[in-house]
Protein backbone atom coordinates (compact mmCIF):
# COMPACT_ATOMS: atom_id res chain seq x y z
CA UNK A 1 0.00 0.00 0.00
CA UNK A 2 1.40 3.37 -1.06
CA UNK A 3 0.98 5.92 1.73
CA UNK A 4 0.17 9.46 0.57
CA UNK A 5 2.46 12.15 1.91
CA UNK A 6 -0.37 14.65 2.33
CA UNK A 7 -4.04 13.92 3.03
CA UNK A 8 -6.72 16.61 3.10
CA UNK A 9 -10.09 15.90 4.72
CA UNK A 10 -13.48 17.60 4.64
CA UNK A 11 -14.93 16.65 8.03
CA UNK A 12 -18.59 16.36 7.09
CA UNK A 13 -21.59 14.79 8.80
CA UNK A 14 -21.33 15.93 12.42
CA UNK A 15 -24.82 17.43 12.41
CA UNK A 16 -26.45 14.41 10.76
CA UNK A 17 -24.63 12.09 13.14
CA UNK A 18 -26.00 14.02 16.13
CA UNK A 19 -29.52 14.06 14.65
CA UNK A 20 -29.40 10.27 14.25
CA UNK A 21 -28.70 10.08 17.99
CA UNK A 22 -31.49 12.49 18.86
CA UNK A 23 -28.96 15.11 19.94
CA UNK A 24 -28.37 18.77 18.93
CA UNK A 25 -25.97 19.54 16.07
CA UNK A 26 -23.31 20.99 18.34
CA UNK A 27 -23.08 17.63 20.14
CA UNK A 28 -22.00 16.18 16.83
CA UNK A 29 -19.33 18.86 16.45
CA UNK A 30 -17.96 18.02 19.91
CA UNK A 31 -17.75 14.32 19.03
CA UNK A 32 -16.20 15.23 15.69
CA UNK A 33 -13.46 17.21 17.45
CA UNK A 34 -12.67 14.25 19.70
CA UNK A 35 -12.48 12.00 16.66
CA UNK A 36 -10.06 14.39 14.98
CA UNK A 37 -7.56 13.87 17.81
CA UNK A 38 -7.66 10.12 17.15
CA UNK A 39 -7.32 10.48 13.39
CA UNK A 40 -4.24 12.69 13.82
CA UNK A 41 -2.53 9.88 15.71
CA UNK A 42 -3.77 7.27 13.25
CA UNK A 43 -2.56 9.28 10.25
CA UNK A 44 0.93 9.62 11.69
CA UNK A 45 0.99 5.95 12.71
CA UNK A 46 0.44 4.79 9.13
CA UNK A 47 3.05 7.18 7.72
CA UNK A 48 1.12 10.26 6.58
CA UNK A 49 3.31 13.36 6.98
CA UNK A 50 0.79 16.15 6.33
CA UNK A 51 -2.86 16.26 7.38
CA UNK A 52 -5.05 19.23 6.45
CA UNK A 53 -8.61 19.45 7.79
CA UNK A 54 -11.48 21.78 6.95
CA UNK A 55 -12.76 23.05 10.31
CA UNK A 56 -14.77 26.14 9.37
CA UNK A 57 -15.35 27.67 5.96
CA UNK A 58 -15.96 31.29 5.01
CA UNK A 59 -19.49 30.17 4.11
CA UNK A 60 -20.15 28.60 7.52
CA UNK A 61 -20.91 32.06 8.97
CA UNK A 62 -24.30 31.68 7.24
CA UNK A 63 -25.31 28.92 9.66
CA UNK A 64 -27.58 29.69 12.61
CA UNK A 65 -26.19 32.01 15.29
CA UNK A 66 -26.59 29.23 17.84
CA UNK A 67 -24.53 26.78 15.80
CA UNK A 68 -21.80 29.32 14.95
CA UNK A 69 -21.52 30.37 18.60
CA UNK A 70 -21.29 26.72 19.59
CA UNK A 71 -18.54 26.11 17.05
CA UNK A 72 -16.54 29.11 18.25
CA UNK A 73 -16.83 27.88 21.83
CA UNK A 74 -15.66 24.47 20.67
CA UNK A 75 -12.72 25.97 18.76
CA UNK A 76 -11.60 27.79 21.91
CA UNK A 77 -11.61 24.55 23.84
CA UNK A 78 -10.10 22.53 21.01
CA UNK A 79 -7.26 25.01 20.47
CA UNK A 80 -6.22 24.80 24.11
CA UNK A 81 -6.38 21.01 24.00
CA UNK A 82 -4.45 20.96 20.72
CA UNK A 83 -1.56 22.90 22.30
CA UNK A 84 -1.13 20.05 24.77
CA UNK A 85 -1.71 17.37 22.12
CA UNK A 86 0.83 18.94 19.78
CA UNK A 87 3.42 18.99 22.54
CA UNK A 88 2.79 15.39 23.56
CA UNK A 89 2.69 14.07 19.99
CA UNK A 90 5.38 16.29 18.43
CA UNK A 91 2.87 17.79 15.94
CA UNK A 92 3.62 20.96 14.01
CA UNK A 93 0.41 22.96 13.63
CA UNK A 94 -0.33 25.57 11.01
CA UNK A 95 -3.48 27.63 10.43
CA UNK A 96 -4.89 28.22 6.94
CA UNK A 97 -7.47 30.89 6.21
CA UNK A 98 -8.16 34.44 7.37
CA UNK A 99 -8.20 34.57 11.19
CA UNK A 100 -9.06 38.28 11.36
CA UNK A 101 -12.81 37.59 11.42
CA UNK A 102 -12.41 35.48 14.57
CA UNK A 103 -12.65 36.83 18.11
CA UNK A 104 -9.42 38.32 19.47
CA UNK A 105 -8.97 35.66 22.14
CA UNK A 106 -9.35 32.85 19.59
CA UNK A 107 -6.84 34.55 17.29
CA UNK A 108 -4.36 34.71 20.17
CA UNK A 109 -4.91 31.04 21.03
CA UNK A 110 -4.29 30.04 17.43
CA UNK A 111 -1.10 32.11 17.35
CA UNK A 112 0.05 30.41 20.55
CA UNK A 113 -0.73 27.00 19.07
CA UNK A 114 1.30 27.71 15.92
CA UNK A 115 4.20 29.32 17.79
CA UNK A 116 4.46 26.63 20.45
CA UNK A 117 4.57 23.82 17.90
CA UNK A 118 6.69 25.39 15.15
CA UNK A 119 9.80 23.35 15.98
CA UNK A 120 8.04 19.99 16.28
CA UNK A 121 9.06 17.34 13.78
CA UNK A 122 6.13 14.90 13.73
CA UNK A 123 2.85 15.19 11.87
CA UNK A 124 2.33 18.48 10.02
CA UNK A 125 -1.23 19.31 11.03
CA UNK A 126 -2.96 22.11 9.12
CA UNK A 127 -6.21 23.64 10.41
CA UNK A 128 -8.33 25.42 7.80
CA UNK A 129 -10.47 27.82 9.84
CA UNK A 130 -12.42 30.71 8.32
CA UNK A 131 -10.99 29.31 5.11
CA UNK A 132 -12.36 29.52 1.60
CA UNK A 133 -10.27 28.76 -1.45
CA UNK A 134 -11.64 31.66 -3.47
CA UNK A 135 -10.88 33.96 -0.54
CA UNK A 136 -7.36 32.52 -0.29
CA UNK A 137 -6.72 33.06 -4.00
CA UNK A 138 -8.16 36.58 -3.84
CA UNK A 139 -5.96 37.46 -0.84
CA UNK A 140 -2.93 36.04 -2.64
CA UNK A 141 -3.69 38.05 -5.79
CA UNK A 142 -4.12 41.21 -3.72
CA UNK A 143 -0.74 40.74 -2.00
CA UNK A 144 0.96 39.97 -5.30
CA UNK A 145 -0.61 43.05 -6.94
CA UNK A 146 0.67 45.25 -4.10
CA UNK A 147 4.18 43.83 -4.50
CA UNK A 148 4.04 44.48 -8.23
CA UNK A 149 2.89 48.06 -7.64
CA UNK A 150 5.70 48.54 -5.14
CA UNK A 151 8.26 47.30 -7.64
CA UNK A 152 9.09 44.19 -5.62
CA UNK A 153 7.85 41.82 -8.32
CA UNK A 154 8.14 42.12 -12.09
CA UNK A 155 4.76 41.06 -13.57
CA UNK A 156 6.58 39.29 -16.39
CA UNK A 157 8.10 36.88 -13.85
CA UNK A 158 4.76 35.69 -12.46
CA UNK A 159 4.29 31.94 -12.90
CA UNK A 160 2.57 29.14 -10.96
CA UNK A 161 5.46 28.79 -8.55
CA UNK A 162 5.54 32.49 -7.70
CA UNK A 163 1.77 32.70 -7.26
CA UNK A 164 1.83 29.59 -5.09
CA UNK A 165 4.25 31.36 -2.74
CA UNK A 166 1.49 33.85 -1.88
CA UNK A 167 -1.01 31.17 -0.85
CA UNK A 168 -1.68 30.05 2.73
CA UNK A 169 -0.09 26.69 1.82
CA UNK A 170 3.04 28.23 0.29
CA UNK A 171 5.53 25.74 1.78
CA UNK A 172 3.22 22.73 2.08
CA UNK A 173 3.16 20.05 -0.65
CA UNK A 174 -0.13 19.67 -2.49
CA UNK A 175 -2.42 16.90 -1.17
CA UNK A 176 -2.07 13.47 -2.73
CA UNK A 177 -5.49 12.42 -1.45
CA UNK A 178 -8.64 14.33 -0.49
CA UNK A 179 -11.24 12.56 1.64
CA UNK A 180 -14.78 13.79 2.18
CA UNK A 181 -17.02 12.01 4.65
CA UNK A 182 -20.86 11.79 4.79
CA UNK A 183 -21.56 11.10 1.12
CA UNK A 184 -21.44 14.65 -0.25
CA UNK A 185 -19.77 14.82 -3.67
CA UNK A 186 -18.43 18.37 -3.80
CA UNK A 187 -15.37 20.37 -2.78
CA UNK A 188 -17.16 23.20 -0.97
CA UNK A 189 -14.56 25.83 -1.87
CA UNK A 190 -11.73 23.77 -0.35
CA UNK A 191 -8.13 23.95 -1.62
CA UNK A 192 -9.18 24.49 -5.23
CA UNK A 193 -5.67 25.44 -6.39
CA UNK A 194 -3.96 22.72 -4.38
CA UNK A 195 -6.27 19.86 -5.41
CA UNK A 196 -5.60 20.21 -9.15
CA UNK A 197 -3.95 16.76 -9.39
CA UNK A 198 -5.23 15.18 -6.20
CA UNK A 199 -7.13 11.89 -5.98
CA UNK A 200 -10.60 12.18 -4.43
CA UNK A 201 -12.21 9.66 -2.09
CA UNK A 202 -15.83 10.03 -0.97
CA UNK A 203 -17.41 7.89 1.73
CA UNK A 204 -20.89 7.72 3.22
CA UNK A 205 -19.38 7.33 6.70
CA UNK A 206 -20.20 10.33 8.91
CA UNK A 207 -17.16 12.07 10.38
CA UNK A 208 -17.65 11.01 14.05
CA UNK A 209 -17.67 7.37 12.85
CA UNK A 210 -14.61 7.74 10.61
CA UNK A 211 -11.78 5.73 12.19
CA UNK A 212 -8.37 4.26 11.45
CA UNK A 213 -9.92 1.37 9.52
CA UNK A 214 -11.79 3.81 7.27
CA UNK A 215 -8.63 5.91 6.83
CA UNK A 216 -6.65 2.87 5.71
CA UNK A 217 -9.50 1.91 3.39
CA UNK A 218 -9.39 5.38 1.80
CA UNK A 219 -5.63 5.23 1.40
CA UNK A 220 -5.77 1.73 -0.11
CA UNK A 221 -8.10 2.93 -2.86
CA UNK A 222 -5.63 5.50 -4.14
CA UNK A 223 -3.45 4.88 -7.18
CA UNK A 224 -0.30 6.69 -6.09
CA UNK A 225 2.89 5.89 -7.92
Amino acid sequence: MNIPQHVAIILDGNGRWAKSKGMPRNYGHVRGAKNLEKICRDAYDIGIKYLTVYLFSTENWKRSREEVDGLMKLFRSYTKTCIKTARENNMKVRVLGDPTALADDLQESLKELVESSKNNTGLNFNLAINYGSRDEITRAARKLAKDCAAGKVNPDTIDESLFNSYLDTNDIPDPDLMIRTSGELRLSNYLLWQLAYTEFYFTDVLWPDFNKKELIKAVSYTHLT
Side-chain angles (χ1 to χ4, degrees):
M1 181 173 63
N2 292 318
I3 303 298
Q5 178 180 218
H6 184 179
V7 174
I9 307 180
I10 299 177
L11 319 175
D12 200 11
N14 291 335
R16 273 167 283 174
W17 182 89
K19 185 178 180 180
S20 72
K21 309 293 183 184
M23 301 295 287
R25 287 179 62 85
N26 279 327
Y27 176 72
H29 295 312
V30 170
R31 290 299 298 267
K34 290 184 181 297
N35 191 46
L36 181 54
E37 294 180 36
K38 297 177 183 177
I39 293 298
C40 282
R41 291 191 291 269
D42 295 338
Y44 190 64
D45 285 345
I46 68 173
I48 293 169
K49 296 179 180 179
Y50 294 83
L51 181 66
T52 301
V53 297
Y54 208 2
L55 288 187
F56 190 85
S57 76
T58 49
E59 289 75 30
N60 285 159
W61 295 107
K62 299 175 184 177
R63 295 186 178 185
S64 72
R65 179 63 179 272
E66 179 183 9
E67 184 172 1
V68 170
D69 286 349
L71 283 167
M72 292 302 147
K73 181 179 179 180
L74 175 60
F75 293 153
R76 287 182 174 90
S77 173
Y78 178 76
T79 302
K80 293 176 182 177
T81 300
C82 197
I83 291 174
K84 179 181 178 182
T85 303
R87 181 174 64 250
E88 293 176 347
N89 295 284
N90 195 29
M91 292 194 312
K92 181 178 180 179
V93 184
R94 180 167 174 169
V95 174
L96 312 180
D98 180 8
T100 60
L102 305 173
D104 290 344
D105 66 309
L106 182 51
Q107 291 185 49
E108 288 303 315
S109 292
L110 289 169
K111 287 179 183 177
E112 181 183 354
L113 173 57
V114 172
E115 182 65 23
S116 65
S117 67
K118 67 180 182 181
N119 294 320
N120 291 345
T121 58
L123 179 70
N124 291 272
F125 184 38
N126 308 306
L127 303 173
I129 182 169
N130 194 35
Y131 174 88
S133 191
R134 289 181 177 180
D135 176 71
E136 176 193 26
I137 292 170
T138 300
R139 286 187 284 106
R142 189 180 300 122
K143 287 186 285 187
L144 178 55
K146 288 181 179 178
D147 282 350
C148 287
K152 297 178 180 179
V153 175
N154 181 343
D156 292 335
T157 67
I158 297 174
D159 56 14
E160 287 186 17
S161 178
L162 178 62
F163 189 80
N164 189 72
S165 71
Y166 284 80
L167 296 173
D168 297 346
T169 55
N170 62 81
D171 57 357
I172 300 171
D174 289 342
D176 305 290
L177 172 66
M178 192 286 296
I179 301 170
R180 180 164 190 157
T181 58
S182 89
E184 295 288 344
L185 305 177
R186 52 197 171 94
L187 294 180
S188 297
N189 197 17
Y190 186 47
L191 300 174
L192 301 180
W193 175 281
Q194 297 85 348
L195 296 179
Y197 294 98
T198 300
E199 289 200 52
F200 296 167
Y201 179 85
F202 300 98
T203 175
D204 290 334
V205 176
L206 303 177
W207 174 248
D209 291 329
F210 191 85
N211 53 28
K212 187 175 184 179
K213 180 181 177 181
E214 293 295 335
L215 178 62
I216 292 174
K217 182 179 178 181
V219 168
S220 69
Y221 272 92
T222 62
H223 301 83
L224 303 175
T225 57

